[in-house]
Amino acid sequence: MIEEQLSQMDREVQECTRCELYLKRTQAVLGGGNPFSELMLIGEGPGEEEDRQGVPFVGKSGQLLDKILAAAGFSKEENVYITNIVKCRPPGNREPNPEERAACLPFLMRQIELIQPGIIVLLGSTALKALINPEGRITKMRGKWITWNGIQVIPTYHPSALLRNPDLKKDVWEDFKSVVQKYREEIDPHHHSNYT
Ligand code: URA
């Protein structure tokens, strides 16, 4: 049922022309990981490698994210579903603009309704602005829990920011420690992680 609906949505995004990003995409990238997860991660948009493979977070940022997730006891195979604010690659990896974000948001809202995550991690400023507050500052709001539509949401830095500025890693460690705690409180008290 969930898988069927995601496949249906995938067909829709592959044909989508709601914004100009379709002009330069190789393919749209709807999402990936386990759709039965309680933990959902939301990034910005596909990069070059994601556009080529049709899978989210498989490039350099994705590899770093996999390591962070593994240390927290999570993986895309087992207990994480991952997607992006926009499903098509912005040329040159620029930030998706407000019109592109708005055009794509209905897909994300349908994904959230289908997957019904208990916890959402917003990766970076674009995800924070698109979902929670267009004026939101990631530096101010990271690591702070927000209840949004009954879902526990925490913003943190995007892994690409960590690649540019490794000093931010300690903050993201802290934020994922907090995710592990919340996951134990809300989802699985026996969740195992290397953090705590
Ligand atoms: N960066 C993102 O925000 N999303 C991806 O899927 C890959 C890199």
Side-chain angles (χ1 to χ4, degrees), residues 14-81:
Q14 299 308 335
E15 294 181 354
C16 179
T17 56
R18 288 183 200 177
C19 80
E20 296 210 333
L21 292 182
Y22 84 93
L23 290 168
K24 299 218 167 133
R25 72 182 172 216
T26 306
Q27 58 194 316
V29 183
L30 179 64
N34 182 348
F36 299 97
S37 300
E38 290 286 346
L39 179 60
M40 184 165 180
L41 268 59
I42 303 176
E44 177 173 296
E48 187 176 10
E49 200 54 35
E50 291 77 18
D51 173 76
R52 214 168 57 76
Q53 295 190 33
V55 181
F57 282 97
V58 286
K60 282 217 173 81
S61 301
Q63 287 159 21
L64 175 56
L65 182 64
D66 284 345
K67 284 188 196 153
I68 297 169
L69 287 173
F74 298 114
S75 71
K76 296 173 201 159
E77 291 72 34
E78 196 188 351
N79 45 21
V80 173
Y81 183 81

Side-chain angles (χ1 to χ4, degrees), residues 122-126 128-129 135-144 155-158 161 164-165 168 171-172 175:
L122 300 175
L123 299 170
S125 158
T126 298
L128 171 65
K129 287 183 176 151
E135 309 298 323
R137 304 289 294 270
I138 192 73
T139 44
K140 290 223 173 96
M141 292 178 74
R142 64 144 277 270
K144 298 193 178 128
T156 191
Y157 294 119
H158 191 286
R164 287 193 302 269
N165 179 2
L168 300 177
D171 289 339
V172 172
D175 298 346

